[in-house]
Amino acid sequence: MEWFTASDYWLTRLVFQRALAAVYLVAFLTAALQFRPLIGQRGMLPVPRFVERVPFRRAPSLFQWHYSDRFFALCAWAGCGVAAALLAGLDSLLPLWGGMLLWLVPWVLYLSIVNVGQTWYSFGWESLLLEVGFLAVFLGNDEVAPPVVVLFLLRWILFRVEFGAGLIKMRGDACWRELTCLDHHHETQPMPGPLSWFFHHLPRPLHRVEVAANHVTQLVVPFLLFTPQPVATAAASLMILTQLWLVLSGNFSWLNWITIVLALSAVRFPADPPEVREAPLWFVVVVLAVATLLVGLGYRPVRNMLSRRQVMNRSFDPLHLVNTYGAFGSVSRVRYEVVVEGTRDDVPRADSGWLEYEFKGKPGDPRRWPRQFAPYHLRLDWLMWFAALSPAYADPWFGTLVERLLENDRATLKLLRRSPFPKDEPPRYVRARLFRYRYTSWRELRETGACWERTYVRDFLPPTRLAGPVHRP
């Protein structure tokens, strides 16, 4: 069945699978280290409360049948173990059906996490990892050559990621059409990286070139993915270079890395293919059946992509088999940050000894330079960026965050860089204030050593204290 497989893509498959396993590992590690204060039994949005009101058919998950923090930790760390095994190449040592089942395990585990993760897992790269991870099950292992149809469907996902993102920009904020969005984006993006300050201060004509190049990469180059080699490889390589540029300019979790992994599936690496047996009939039938299902389900994301009312980052089925993607259809011109503070004073006043909580990734102290965290995902820091855009984004969880800070809850404090209060002396009051942040100029940086300048705007949350005695588990 020479028509079914592409033996000259065997090294492509190997590189793609190992890179995807690395992304899975980061995703599960993020879940294992952060779930307790976010969605645990005493989390800000507890899973048990969620599964009580959302049926299995709407959010299929292992945790619909049973949830405890211990069981979640077991699933998350098991995901880390399986991802590490796949990264080491264990699937190549198993029979074809065993390798497929091994790739199915992280998909089931991560689907279970995402479907109960609520707003903490509402990012587009969660669905993208699941969509790509599901297809990876059917790529096979060293027993057979990679199926052509699966390689095609991976390119189809990459096309939708890039072309959909390009369309949402052209239909959205006028600054994309005017080539001026990067005058603001590096300063107002959710989580700046260590080089973002320098990217922001690049000459404005260069920003125009960056935006124009982005439009070409997202609106023209994707069509070249379906052309013969080596053109398809060149197109995918250009996408990889663009994503690496984005990696340098900000902290976007594993969005850029999973896109790079997808692009690798279209690169044909020069290598002599090994001798493999013909694909068994059962494998051919399964792959073609799954491909037919995915092509049929793909109608909805295509319709969304072509619609004038295009939406970003939405899944069209509870298994996240087909989704729509996109980012930054609009770009903020001003950066706001929510600064959280506490005091030990019995009666809080404006001049009380308010001490600031420091977050790991989001801007806080103007003199603290941003760090690189991606592909690791700081979920609380990202949601704090949304909270600064509108308090409505924070309504479901911000009040509980404040309660946990008033309790000096250990799990919650681990999400932060530093708490200003000792473990046995929690604050009596916590408040939040909204500040406007802007990058300093070269002169200001030399004079003050600060990369940010901030200005108080208004109160976000008035001084708040616990109504009853502190509960510590």
Side-chain angles (χ1 to χ4, degrees):
M1 297 183 182
E2 294 184 359
W3 59 271
F4 180 73
T5 56
S7 59
D8 51 346
Y9 280 85
W10 73 272
L11 186 53
T12 296
R13 175 180 62 189
L14 179 64
V15 173
F16 167 82
Q17 288 178 328
R18 300 302 165 254
L20 178 60
V23 176
Y24 259 137
L25 180 58
V26 173
F28 280 113
L29 184 64
T30 302
L33 296 179
Q34 298 183 28
F35 81 92
R36 290 181 188 275
L38 300 181
I39 58 175
Q41 288 174 308
R42 291 195 72 244
M44 299 175 221
L45 296 174
V47 171
R49 190 185 306 165
F50 174 79
V51 298
E52 284 179 0
R53 66 178 189 272
V54 179
F56 180 88
R57 67 179 183 278
R58 285 178 50 198
S61 171
L62 296 174
F63 306 116
Q64 291 275 5
W65 295 318
H66 171 72
Y67 182 84
S68 69
D69 284 355
R70 181 174 298 179
F71 181 59
F72 190 103
L74 176 64
C75 290
W77 287 114
C80 289
V82 174
L86 290 168
L87 182 59
L90 180 60
D91 56 317
S92 298
L93 305 178
L94 299 174
L96 177 59
W97 61 267
M100 294 174 67
L101 288 178
L102 189 62
W103 273 104
L104 187 63
V105 171
W107 182 81
V108 171
L109 290 175
Y110 203 65
L111 175 73
S112 296
I113 292 173
V114 169
N115 275 349
V116 299
Q118 304 162 79
T119 190
W120 304 108
Y121 282 80
S122 60
F123 301 92
W125 49 82
E126 315 286 3
S127 294
L128 182 56
L129 178 57
L130 287 171
E131 186 171 355
V132 176
F134 182 76
L135 267 180
V137 175
F138 306 97
L139 264 179
N141 61 7
D142 288 353
E143 285 194 10
V144 297
V148 172
V149 66
V150 179
L151 293 172
F152 174 86
L153 288 173
L154 288 171
R155 294 190 196 188
W156 173 233
I157 299 175
L158 179 60
F159 177 90
R160 285 190 282 114
V161 169
E162 293 285 6
F163 193 63
L167 288 178
I168 202 73
K169 290 180 176 66
M170 297 304 291
R171 289 171 172 151
D173 202 317
C175 69
W176 290 114
R177 298 185 295 275
E178 297 166 356
L179 308 183
T180 59
C181 274
L182 291 188
D183 294 349
H184 317 284
H185 170 70
H186 296 303
E187 183 178 62
T188 63
Q189 62 181 306
M191 195 181 304
L195 298 179
S196 299
W197 186 94
F198 299 98
F199 274 84
H200 176 72
H201 287 292
L202 289 174
R204 290 198 171 188
L206 184 54
H207 284 327
R208 309 292 187 272
V209 173
E210 288 182 272
V211 178
N214 179 82
H215 291 333
V216 172
T217 303
Q218 293 191 325
L219 295 173
V220 178
V221 173
F223 289 95
L224 302 180
L225 293 171
F226 305 107
T227 59
Q229 295 291 4
V231 178
T233 292
S237 300
L238 184 57
M239 292 179 177
I240 291 172
L241 288 175
T242 302
Q243 293 299 321
L244 290 174
W245 184 263
L246 295 174
V247 167
L248 292 175
S249 68
N251 276 297
F252 298 104
S253 186
W254 59 80
L255 172 61
N256 307 122
W257 292 108
I258 189 65
T259 307
I260 289 172
V261 171
L262 262 178
L264 289 172
S265 70
V267 175
R268 187 171 66 184
F269 296 94
D272 295 329
E275 292 292 333
V276 294
R277 68 185 179 94
E278 188 175 275
L281 181 60
W282 67 265
F283 181 63
V284 175
V285 171
V286 169
V287 169
L288 293 180
V290 169
T292 301
L293 170 67
L294 294 178
V295 170
L297 292 175
Y299 163 74
R300 296 180 70 181
V302 171
R303 184 178 64 179
N304 172 73
M305 194 162 53
L306 299 178
S307 171
R308 292 182 179 179
R309 294 186 294 272
Q310 179 188 5
V311 296
M312 298 186 298
N313 301 323
R314 178 172 299 178
S315 183
F316 293 102
D317 62 271
L319 297 179
H320 299 265
L321 298 180
V322 293
N323 315 283
T324 182
Y325 306 105
F328 300 107
S330 60
V331 173
S332 302
R333 274 46 171 191
V334 177
R335 180 178 200 96
Y336 293 106
E337 287 290 344
V338 176
V339 174
V340 182
E341 301 168 323
T343 182
R344 294 273 304 157
D345 289 358
D346 291 325
V347 180
R349 297 182 299 272
D351 58 349
S352 294
W354 291 101
L355 302 175
E356 182 176 335
Y357 288 90
E358 293 184 19
F359 289 74
K360 293 180 178 180
K362 87 177 197 69
D365 180 354
R367 297 177 63 88
R368 185 162 57 88
W369 203 269
R371 292 174 54 195
Q372 184 66 36
F373 286 96
Y376 190 78
H377 186 191
L378 297 174
R379 299 186 183 279
L380 177 59
D381 294 64
W382 269 78
L383 266 292
M384 289 294 290
W385 178 78
F386 282 101
L389 294 179
S390 170
Y393 287 115
D395 279 347
W397 53 268
F398 194 79
T400 309
L401 169 64
V402 171
E403 289 180 17
R404 297 295 179 265
L405 295 179
L406 288 165
E407 296 169 355
N408 256 1
D409 178 66
R410 286 186 300 170
T412 302
L413 294 180
K414 287 181 180 179
L415 296 176
L416 306 179
R417 180 175 180 266
R418 189 185 71 86
S419 168
F421 300 98
K423 294 180 181 179
D424 56 346
E425 295 182 12
R428 289 190 171 86
Y429 287 87
V430 167
R431 72 178 181 183
R433 299 192 294 166
L434 191 70
F435 284 81
R436 176 176 177 172
Y437 275 65
R438 68 164 180 85
Y439 279 138
T440 54
S441 65
W442 284 96
R443 180 182 58 80
E444 290 170 325
L445 179 65
R446 288 192 299 269
E447 292 177 353
T448 67
C451 57
W452 296 102
E453 190 274 338
R454 69 183 186 184
T455 306
Y456 170 76
V457 177
R458 60 177 174 81
D459 284 354
F460 186 87
L461 179 76
T464 303
R465 68 174 301 170
L466 290 175
V470 174
H471 168 73
R472 291 189 179 90

